Amino acid sequence: GNIDELKDRSGNTILSGNVKNIGTERADFAKVTFTIKKNWNGDTKTMTSFAQGTYHTFESGVTANSSILPGASASFELIISASFGPFIGYSYDIEWDEYQ
């Protein structure tokens, strides 16, 4: 889907949207990793936002809310602090794992 970009009252930039699991298995620790392009010189910074999906307790005993069930969607939000300064653009990758 689309990524919404807005500024809050403090001048922070908020990138938000939804990701959908189009697979047949649960996607665990689903995250969107942004590469923020600071300038035309090639300076970048990587920032990550985990999806706010379904809670799942893994065999290890860890419980997380970043799993996305097959066919389901989950939201994400990344806040880029105003102190980061201006940037000229970004790209992103969606990643996930599969655990028991």
Side-chain angles (χ1 to χ4, degrees):
N2 296 327
I3 296 178
D4 296 321
E5 181 177 338
L6 61 97
K7 289 215 185 264
D8 66 12
R9 292 183 203 169
S10 299
N12 301 317
T13 301
I14 302 170
L15 304 177
S16 63
N18 291 293
V19 291
K20 183 174 183 177
N21 181 351
I22 60 171
T24 59
E25 302 293 328
R26 186 185 66 239
D28 298 320
F29 300 104
K31 62 185 176 182
V32 182
T33 301
F34 289 88
T35 300
I36 311 296
K37 300 172 189 172
K38 294 188 73 155
N39 53 44
W40 294 107
N41 294 331
D43 297 329
T44 62
K45 180 168 180 163
T46 301
M47 298 180 172
T48 300
S49 174
F50 281 89
Q52 299 299 306
T54 302
Y55 279 94
H56 183 77
T57 301
F58 300 93
E59 288 180 358
S60 66
V62 171
T63 299
N65 71 335
S66 57
S67 293
I68 308 173
L69 299 174
S73 294
S75 64
F76 66 88
E77 179 178 274
L78 178 74
I79 299 174
I80 303 171
S81 172
S83 65
F84 181 80
F87 58 92
I88 61 170
Y90 57 86
S91 59
Y92 63 91
D93 290 307
I94 301 170
E95 302 172 46
W96 69 94
D97 294 304
E98 192 174 324
Y99 292 101
Q100 294 297 319

